[in-house]
């Protein structure tokens, strides 16, 4: 038997048939359906007169366009309301389970899939959303697809796919205080670049993984796409199993035992070979922030804005110049002196309970700076309720944050949560692209703890300084 | 899907790297429900930013370009197929770049758009030729880009994808016609071995 990687194992277990051109027809176990990428897929299905092949394999929820406040009122008549209504109708007509906005299970697809146990190790999971790689944290083969591919999954429960190359990222060492998994993934993207993972399925491994919670692993896998890779994976282990046990859609009883027996066969064989290996000493990392308009444009918080004139690659230099113009930053400026207007804590990257705990720990007994408007958008209603049970909402509110309902919110700015032109935001989301948080809005990506530090300081700030001050008090 | 064989057109030069799908099609227009008519919002911010020279797709002769020549990692970021729908609706049938975002790349083929991947050196010659505004020919049959000076630059493409583009073949129709038996067999095999994978929402 040749030595296989986790990715190889899940892939070959799902090949329905190989094609002569090297592609394979891959079976898809789970499909998360949201309002933005699905209407055209359902319209295509209806035009063909084809029914959904396996309605129970799909789960629909509106997350991108929904408001995060005043949920008890009817949605105002708008394009967003029309889009949510269309999802409700499509789910009904195709007999697909739909989770309403006011349901206790509502949330961002990539938060609720795991919460419900819809996400399982060894499964293939797709969604018309690039951050579907999040689910790879459970040892699932999960990737984002376009609407036409969503239509294909609805109609056939399969996708024609080409196998990717294999990359292993070894995270070694233990992070220092104030450094989290967001800093690890930002450092990796800075290292390999936003195109560095194109064509690869990344498996995250190494000594630092064992100590990462499922929430942290989800943050890690979530941003694989920001390195260009559609797929990020972590091998399932006891942390994974403990997290999944008892989830509403997770297997139970004898099924659980059978599933566990299979899941334990999934980790990469010791002699398996990867096409590329990258290793990162996470013990040497400092908290990081982005300064430009791609996620690779990030540096330690104690750094300065880089100088494009010192960049040898002409394409990269032009990119940096454009980024700095857009971001309104000058080369040499200290990052920890950049003033901010807004703070956003949330998203499929950092909208989970652990993220909110980390931010709240910094905010206890402190106030948001007067020049800053800050919101927290829990990734799901479940996260929101758990946080409220722990009193985190009171910490956020006392600090001056708005406490909102679940959704994608200011990560994608499709609802009313967006930056005004020229506003600068400390954000726990995943993309600092031009216009991502609203036309001409300026985004700095960072961890939840760093976003909390920025909120208090009114500027990008080093959370390590805040923590040490608190411990002296 | 319209079969793709050959395109002769001016090529719009967009010499920037990492053009993400948020730039190609900003998120607030994702509220639209139809895949048609999206060309109106293609590169929305760039075409209306009013800063400096007008955006290339607003400048004749490039406002009628069926070919776009861009920098590396074109179409990175979000999976939104709207980016391809908007390009196709505008009239773009070919995008030439050193590399592409993977989801964007896959989406192109499902909409009769040909993404051409080329090494830096030949890509640079195409970019230079595009800037002159002279027509460029892209022939999928012979897998070549012909420059105005007569130089032929070969490009690689997966054979199955080339065939489907040339035939205008719809992948879903093909799977429904040819593969349903295999899918059924797979499903019954799976039910026997991994019944726990069948989802049940309580």
């Amino acid at each position: 038997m040749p030595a296989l990687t986790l990715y190889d194992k899940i892939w070959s277990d799902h090949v329905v048939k190989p094609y002569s051109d090297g592609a394979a027809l891959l079976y898809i176990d789970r499909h998360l359906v949201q309002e933005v990428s699905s209407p055209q897929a359902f319209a295509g299905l209806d035009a063909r007169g084809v029914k959904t092949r396996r309605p129970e394999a799909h789960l629909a929820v509106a997350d991108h366009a929904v408001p995060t406040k005043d949920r008890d009122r009817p949605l105002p008549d708008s394009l967003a309301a029309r889009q949510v209504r269309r999802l409700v109708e499509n789910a009904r007509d195709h007999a697909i389970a739909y989770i309403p906005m006011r349901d206790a299970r509502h949330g961002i697809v990539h938060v609720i899939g795991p919460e419900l146990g819809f996400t399982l190790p060894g499964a293939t999971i797709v969604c018309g959303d690039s951050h579907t790689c999040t689910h790879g944290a459970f040892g699932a083969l999960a990737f984002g697809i376009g609407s036409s591919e969503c239509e294909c999954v609805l109609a056939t429960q399969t996708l024609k796919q080409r196998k990717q190359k294999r990359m292993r990222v070894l995270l070694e060492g233990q992070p220092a205080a104030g450094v989290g998994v967001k800093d690890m993934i930002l450092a990796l993207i800075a290292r390999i670049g936003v195109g560095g993972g194109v064509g690869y399925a990344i498996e995250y491994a190494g000594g630092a993984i064992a100590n990462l919670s499922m929430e942290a692993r989800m943050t890690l896998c979530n941003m694989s796409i920001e390195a260009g890779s559609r797929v990020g994976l972590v091998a399932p282990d006891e942390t994974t199993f403990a997290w999944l046990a008892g989830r509403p859609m997770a297997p139970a009883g004898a099924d659980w035992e059978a599933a566990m027996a299979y899941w334990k066969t999934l980790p990469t064989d010791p002699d398996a070979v990867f096409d590329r290996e990258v290793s990162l000493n996470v013990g040497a990392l400092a908290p990081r922030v982005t300064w430009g308009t791609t996620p690779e444009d990030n540096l330690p918080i104690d750094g300065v804005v880089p100088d494009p004139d010192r960049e040898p690659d002409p394409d990269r230099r032009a990119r940096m110049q454009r980024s700095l113009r857009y971001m309104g930053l000058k080369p040499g400026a200290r990052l920890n002196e950049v003033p901010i207007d807004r703070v956003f804590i949330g998203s499929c990257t950092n909208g989970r309970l652990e993220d909110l705990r980390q931010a709240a720990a910094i905010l206890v007994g402190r106030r948001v700076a007067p020049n800053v408007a800050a919101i927290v958008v829990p990734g799901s209603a479940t996260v929101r309720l758990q946080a409220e049970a722990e009193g985190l909402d009171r910490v956020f509110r006392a600090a001056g944050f708005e406490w909102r309902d679940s959704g994608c919110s200011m990560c994608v700015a499709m609802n009313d949560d967006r930056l005004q032109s020229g506003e600068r935001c400390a954000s726990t989301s995943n993309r600092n692209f031009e216009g991502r948080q609203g036309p001409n809005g300026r985004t700095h990506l960072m961890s939840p703890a760093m976003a909390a530090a920025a909120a208090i300081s009114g500027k990008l700030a080093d959370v390590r300084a805040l923590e040490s001050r608190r411990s002296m008090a | 899907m319209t079969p793709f064989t050959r395109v002769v057109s001016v090529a719009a030069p967009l010499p920037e790297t990492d053009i993400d799908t948020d730039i190609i099609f900003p998120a607030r227009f994702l509220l639209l429900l139809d895949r048609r008519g999206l060309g109106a919002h293609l590169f929305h911010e760039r075409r209306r930013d009013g800063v400096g020279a007008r955006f290339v797709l607003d400048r004749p002769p490039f406002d009628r370009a069926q070919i776009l020549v861009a920098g590396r990692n074109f179409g990175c970021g979000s999976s939104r197929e709207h980016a391809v729908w908007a390009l196709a609706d505008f009239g773009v049938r070919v995008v030439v770049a050193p590399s592409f975002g993977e989801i964007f790349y896959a989406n192109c083929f499902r909409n009769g758009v040909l993404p051409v991947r080329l090494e830096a050196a030949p890509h640079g010659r195409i970019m230079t030729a595009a800037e002159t505004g002279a027509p460029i020919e892209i022939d999928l049959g012979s897998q070549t880009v012909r420059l105005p000076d007569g130089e032929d630059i070969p490009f690689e493409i997966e054979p199955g994808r080339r065939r489907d583009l040339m035939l205008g073949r719809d992948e879903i129709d093909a799977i429904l016609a040819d593969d349903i038996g295999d899918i059924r067999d797979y499903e019954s095999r799976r039910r026997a071995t991994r019944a726990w994978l069948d989802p049940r929402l309580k």
Side-chain angles (χ1 to χ4, degrees):
Chain A
M1 277 281 285
L4 299 173
T5 68
L6 168 61
Y7 172 68
D8 296 327
K9 293 178 190 185
I10 307 175
W11 174 275
S12 43
D13 198 53
H14 286 83
V15 172
V16 172
K17 68 182 266 191
Y19 292 107
S20 57
D21 65 352
L25 191 65
L26 203 66
Y27 196 77
I28 303 301
D29 298 315
R30 305 275 195 278
H31 176 207
L32 289 154
V33 182
Q34 41 93 328
E35 75 275 33
V36 174
S37 53
S38 67
Q40 303 83 355
F42 283 113
L45 213 57
D46 293 345
R48 289 172 202 275
V50 170
K51 283 283 160 206
T52 299
R53 178 172 178 80
R54 271 188 83 193
E56 72 276 14
H58 313 266
L59 180 63
V61 68
D63 57 3
H64 281 60
V66 297
T68 57
K69 59 179 182 182
D70 303 328
R71 285 267 186 91
D72 45 345
R73 292 185 215 155
L75 283 182
D77 190 29
S78 63
L79 290 177
R82 188 181 68 164
Q83 196 166 56
V84 174
R85 217 159 43 231
R86 181 67 63 88
L87 180 64
V88 174
E89 292 159 3
N90 282 328
R92 181 196 62 209
D93 295 348
H94 290 265
I96 291 170
Y98 169 74
I99 298 181
M101 205 173 66
R102 295 180 192 85
D103 193 286
R105 299 164 300 175
H106 178 268
I108 304 172
V109 279
H110 310 310
V111 179
I112 69 167
E115 280 175 352
L116 291 170
F118 188 72
T119 303
L120 294 176
T124 48
I125 303 172
V126 296
C127 175
D129 189 289
S130 62
H131 290 107
T132 307
C133 47
T134 310
H135 307 264
F138 290 83
L141 174 50
F143 52 94
I145 56 176
S147 299
S148 297
E149 290 180 308
C150 293
E151 183 182 340
C152 190
V153 173
L154 288 162
T156 72
Q157 210 58 44
T158 63
L159 282 174
K160 188 173 174 181
Q161 293 289 300
R162 286 159 182 82
K163 201 173 174 190
Q164 288 157 299
K165 289 183 285 185
R166 295 154 298 192
M167 184 191 303
R168 178 158 58 188
V169 173
L170 291 168
L171 302 174
E172 301 293 358
Q174 288 310 317
V179 176
V181 72
K182 186 72 166 278
D183 304 303
M184 299 181 202
I185 187 65
L186 285 172
L188 175 72
I189 298 165
R191 164 89 74 83
I192 69 174
V194 285
V198 171
Y200 291 94
I202 297 179
E203 179 177 343
Y204 300 95
I209 294 287
N211 293 337
L212 292 182
S213 66
M214 287 317 299
E215 284 84 352
R217 294 178 192 184
M218 284 189 257
T219 303
L220 186 65
C221 290
N222 171 274
M223 289 190 71
S224 302
I225 187 68
E226 311 320 330
S229 179
R230 277 198 308 163
V231 171
L233 293 151
V234 173
D237 62 9
E238 292 305 323
T239 305
T240 320
F241 307 144
W243 201 92
L244 280 173
R247 300 270 165 188
M249 296 181 74
D255 275 350
W256 174 261
E257 297 307 321
M260 282 278 281
Y262 175 65
W263 294 340
K264 287 178 176 171
T265 68
L266 288 174
T268 293
D269 297 334
D271 299 330
V273 176
F274 288 81
D275 300 288
R276 186 176 174 194
E277 299 246 21
V278 177
S279 83
L280 192 69
N281 175 10
V282 304
L285 295 179
R288 301 177 79 90
V289 294
T290 59
W291 51 265
T293 55
T294 83
E296 79 179 40
D297 300 335
N298 72 79
L299 282 168
I301 182 64
D302 47 15
V304 299
V305 175
D307 186 351
D309 289 343
R310 297 171 68 174
E311 170 58 49
D313 173 40
D315 288 341
R316 169 102 185 119
R317 192 184 316 134
R319 184 78 173 88
M320 289 171 74
Q321 282 160 343
R322 183 172 176 97
S323 285
L324 292 186
R325 210 162 46 237
Y326 182 86
M327 293 297 290
L329 294 172
K330 295 263 183 292
R334 293 173 60 93
L335 289 170
N336 59 16
E337 289 174 358
V338 174
I340 58 159
D341 309 295
R342 306 277 291 269
V343 173
F344 169 62
I345 295 177
S347 84
C348 61
T349 310
N350 281 129
R352 298 182 182 80
L353 186 60
E354 183 176 285
D355 302 312
L356 304 195
R357 282 179 185 151
Q358 288 170 0
I362 305 301
L363 294 170
V364 173
R366 293 189 164 114
R367 287 284 305 170
V368 171
N371 59 313
V372 172
I375 65 171
V376 191
V377 182
S380 70
T382 306
V383 169
R384 188 178 201 266
L385 288 174
Q386 286 172 335
E388 288 173 355
E390 292 183 12
L392 301 185
D393 59 318
R394 291 196 298 277
V395 174
F396 282 112
R397 283 191 163 117
F401 272 79
E402 281 187 56
W403 180 251
R404 298 288 188 90
D405 279 312
S406 50
C408 300
S409 179
M410 220 204 269
C411 175
V412 67
M414 286 187 62
N415 64 2
D416 292 336
D417 309 338
R418 63 176 66 166
L419 301 181
Q420 300 302 306
S421 181
E423 279 188 328
R424 190 182 295 283
C425 182
S427 179
T428 67
S429 53
N430 41 58
R431 289 185 175 141
N432 50 343
F433 296 159
E434 290 179 23
R436 176 74 181 186
Q437 294 192 293
N440 294 312
R442 293 161 171 169
T443 303
H444 295 272
L445 302 177
M446 63 196 73
S447 72
M450 284 288 285
I456 295 161
S457 311
K459 58 187 179 66
L460 304 183
D462 192 336
V463 67
R464 294 171 301 184
L466 279 172
E467 280 181 336
S468 59
R469 238 195 296 158
R470 190 179 53 177
S471 60
M472 282 187 299
Chain B
M1 210 166 61
T2 322
F4 187 112
T5 48
R6 181 171 159 273
V7 165
V8 183
S9 162
V10 297
L14 184 59
E16 276 184 54
T17 65
D18 307 316
I19 295 275
D20 57 67
T21 54
D22 276 84
I23 294 177
I24 301 170
F25 194 84
R28 61 190 186 284
F29 303 110
L30 297 177
L31 292 170
L32 301 170
L33 298 175
D34 204 320
R35 59 174 89 193
R36 286 165 304 195
L38 301 183
H41 307 296
L42 178 68
F43 290 109
H44 191 274
E45 257 64 75
R46 296 296 180 91
R47 290 167 72 189
R48 283 152 189 84
D49 70 1
V51 181
R54 276 190 299 162
F55 186 66
V56 63
L57 293 181
D58 292 328
R59 285 198 318 262
F62 303 117
D63 55 346
R64 301 182 65 182
Q66 296 177 57
I67 304 168
L68 181 68
V69 188
R72 65 176 178 248
N73 205 25
F74 185 82
C76 61
S78 155
S79 62
R80 63 191 69 167
E81 196 163 324
H82 307 65
V84 180
W85 296 332
L87 281 164
D89 187 58
F90 185 86
V92 172
R93 307 252 6 238
V94 185
V95 184
V96 181
S99 59
F100 291 90
E102 268 183 80
I103 306 175
F104 175 87
Y105 185 80
N107 286 341
C108 284
F109 291 100
R110 294 169 189 272
N111 294 281
V113 173
L114 169 66
V116 174
R117 253 191 312 233
L118 282 171
E119 297 291 321
H123 175 266
R125 294 203 294 283
I126 295 173
M127 186 68 84
T128 305
E131 280 159 359
T132 68
I136 286 173
E137 178 181 338
I138 312 258
D139 188 279
L140 183 55
S142 61
Q143 293 179 231
T144 49
V145 180
R146 175 161 291 183
L147 298 185
D149 66 4
E151 182 191 356
D152 280 339
I153 296 175
F155 63 87
E156 295 294 319
I157 181 170
E158 300 88 337
R161 283 176 152 156
R162 172 171 167 271
R163 183 201 57 214
D164 288 356
L165 267 185
M166 293 190 71
L167 297 175
R169 196 170 87 129
D170 182 275
E171 197 168 283
I172 300 175
D173 284 346
I175 294 173
L176 289 172
D178 303 338
D179 300 331
I180 286 299
D182 292 297
I183 295 170
R184 217 175 275 137
D185 290 348
Y186 178 89
E187 285 173 338
S188 58
R189 231 171 28 242
R190 259 276 301 278
R191 255 192 308 278
T193 54
R194 303 209 213 297
W196 54 266
L197 253 176
D198 286 344
R200 276 154 282 191
L201 184 62
K202 286 168 200 129

